[in-house]
Amino acid sequence: MKLYGTVAGTTGVSEVTIEGEQIVSLCPASPASAPPDLVIAPGFIDIQINGYGGLSFGTPDTTPEVLDYVVRAQRGIGVLFICPTVCTTSHENTIHALRMLTEARRNPELAHAVPCYHLEGPYIGKEDGPRGAHPLPHVRPPDWDEFRRFQDAAEGKIGIITLGPEHPGAIPFIERLVESGVIAAIGHTGATPEQIRDAVAAGARLSTHLGNGSHARIDRHPNYIWEQLAADELCASIIADGHHLPPSVVKSMVRAKGVDRTILVSDAVAAAGLSPGVYPAEGREIEVLPNGRVQMKGTPYLAGSGLILSEGIGNTVRFAGVSLAEAVQMATRNPATLLGLGDTLGTVAPGREANLVLFRWNAQECSLILESVVVRGRLIPIDEMKDAMRPAGQQAF
């Protein structure tokens, strides 16, 4: 199979030749071979996604079918790899959620799309602000024995854990995570700068949705945001939806961390992908606005993210003044490198597995329109994914 378009990060039209599941060659092609706005990029990777289309990975009634639906729906927006994220909840609910994900991954197609799971909590900061929307009764200090039970339920597939380093025992816990090959991420924290530095020295490698899960007001300096921005050892994930972070903050963070250390995430909750309206959510009501913002009904308070990662790429070009290729890198090569998958995913090059996104790029509006994806060498046009993109039900987190 031969594909024609401008490979993200290059100029001019290229011919991408795929045999089986691999890219075998990449060479210049005639400009007449493809429209000038058709871009070929690596499949997008979202390392933090809680649900989509009315379904959530972390609810007590989640099933293996939830992962199947979300993987198919995400393909329709160009996201070919996800790290399903389970947030703070009871021990029993966490075990159940991990078992359902693991059961779903017995399907080879889903196993390919899900390199690992992201455990966001329960070992996060307890304070209002840093804790965010995580339920206080289930927030607790790190417990290695409990984590091992979680990892057993996940059959070893917990690859990222977000925690607050201010907890007693957090630093040796991070050291044990690193020894076991799990990425330790700092997030939902009110830690002191010294505690941040200790976490980095212990091996923490990621700041989870930096600038969110924090106090509304903090000391001008020093504080835990500056400390993480200054730590070259840390990549920073950001939610570039214009709601969680103002455009000027996105721009400042990208400039501080640099393109190579910035990772775009959706942090999408179950309400993502639903039509504007009001939905029930565990005794509350949340509202999805026409601009995609998800908030508690009748309040200005966010109730999660409704971001679609492809929109986050366009937003980052607009907000941060980076090129399309740089924004794509933040959603492809950078997360692949963090996950240790840089040898197979995240770039378009001979010898790499053929997982690609083909889209039209509108440079004036900084928006992209998906045309098709390639999954392990199989071309799937957008029209064949329409059924999978329909919302699956009511918002469920």
Side-chain angles (χ1 to χ4, degrees):
M1 177 171 63
K2 296 183 183 296
L3 302 175
Y4 296 91
T6 301
V7 174
T10 70
T11 58
V13 175
S14 293
E15 178 187 87
V16 180
T17 302
I18 298 169
E19 293 181 2
E21 297 183 358
Q22 279 201 325
I23 299 170
V24 295
S25 71
L26 177 64
C27 59
S30 165
S33 302
D37 61 347
L38 182 63
V39 178
I40 301 175
F44 306 148
I45 304 169
D46 195 345
I47 64 169
Q48 188 175 9
I49 176 170
N50 309 281
Y52 186 81
L55 300 178
S56 173
F57 300 123
T59 56
D61 56 354
T62 191
T63 67
E65 287 71 31
V66 171
L67 182 61
D68 178 71
Y69 168 75
V70 174
V71 165
R72 290 185 294 109
Q74 289 295 301
R75 281 181 184 170
I77 52 179
V79 179
L80 303 189
F81 302 94
I82 65 171
C83 297
T85 303
V86 177
C87 292
T88 301
T89 184
S90 69
H91 176 87
E92 294 75 17
N93 284 352
T94 302
I95 292 289
H96 172 73
L98 294 170
R99 285 176 175 165
M100 293 301 98
L101 289 171
T102 301
E103 182 63 29
R105 280 189 85 258
R106 302 200 193 288
N107 178 331
E109 187 175 1
L110 299 183
H112 178 260
V114 178
C116 66
Y117 315 143
H118 183 163
L119 195 61
E120 186 183 358
Y123 313 132
I124 58 171
K126 282 193 161 190
E127 296 179 73
D128 290 346
R131 193 181 71 255
H134 291 237
L136 179 59
H138 297 308
V139 174
R140 47 201 186 267
D143 181 326
W144 186 256
D145 289 337
E146 180 181 52
F147 174 71
R148 290 307 311 168
R149 291 193 289 274
F150 290 158
Q151 193 66 293
D152 288 344
E155 296 187 357
K157 283 299 177 179
I158 298 173
I160 306 172
I161 181 165
T162 294
L163 73 160
E166 63 265 43
H167 280 293
I171 302 307
F173 184 85
I174 291 172
E175 291 172 342
R176 296 185 78 171
L177 288 174
V178 173
E179 290 173 2
S180 66
V182 176
I183 297 165
I186 299 170
H188 286 282
T189 181
T192 65
E194 292 76 17
Q195 290 167 333
I196 297 294
R197 289 195 292 271
D198 288 345
V200 172
R205 297 173 54 203
L206 176 68
S207 297
T208 291
H209 53 46
L210 188 59
N212 296 114
S214 61
H215 295 95
R217 295 180 183 274
I218 56 177
D219 289 338
R220 181 180 47 161
H221 46 70
N223 61 57
Y224 47 78
I225 293 179
W226 285 120
E227 203 64 42
Q228 291 177 80
L229 282 172
D232 291 341
E233 299 89 341
L234 294 173
C235 291
S237 68
I238 59 173
I239 308 169
D241 62 355
H243 307 303
H244 283 77
L245 298 173
S248 60
V249 174
V250 172
K251 184 175 186 177
S252 298
M253 286 185 170
V254 170
R255 288 191 172 186
K257 295 308 293 187
V259 170
D260 291 344
R261 290 192 295 270
T262 303
I263 294 174
L264 300 182
V265 296
S266 72
D267 197 19
V269 296
L274 295 181
S275 301
V278 176
Y279 299 90
E282 295 185 356
R284 307 173 297 169
E285 287 189 321
I286 62 98
E287 186 173 13
V288 179
L289 302 184
N291 65 0
R293 179 184 174 94
V294 181
Q295 64 186 34
M296 300 301 299
K297 183 187 177 187
T299 79
Y301 301 118
L302 289 165
S305 167
L307 181 65
I308 292 172
L309 191 60
S310 56
E311 293 180 356
I313 291 172
N315 287 344
T316 302
V317 174
R318 286 194 296 120
F319 297 169
V322 298
S323 67
L324 172 63
E326 290 171 324
V328 166
Q329 177 187 327
M330 296 178 204
T332 55
R333 191 175 84 193
N334 294 358
T337 300
L338 177 75
L339 296 174
L341 301 173
D343 290 342
T344 56
L345 305 179
T347 56
V348 182
R352 300 300 176 98
E353 194 172 84
N355 299 291
L356 306 172
V357 179
L358 283 73
F359 60 85
R360 297 291 186 98
W361 173 245
N362 185 321
Q364 286 189 325
E365 297 182 3
C366 293
S367 63
L368 59 89
I369 300 174
L370 189 77
E371 290 214 338
S372 58
V373 300
V374 177
V375 179
R376 298 172 93 173
R378 178 168 61 98
L379 181 68
I380 310 174
I382 186 66
D383 289 344
E384 294 182 14
M385 295 184 277
K386 292 296 185 183
D387 287 345
M389 293 168 64
R390 288 201 304 257
Q394 295 293 303
Q395 125 61 30
F397 56 71

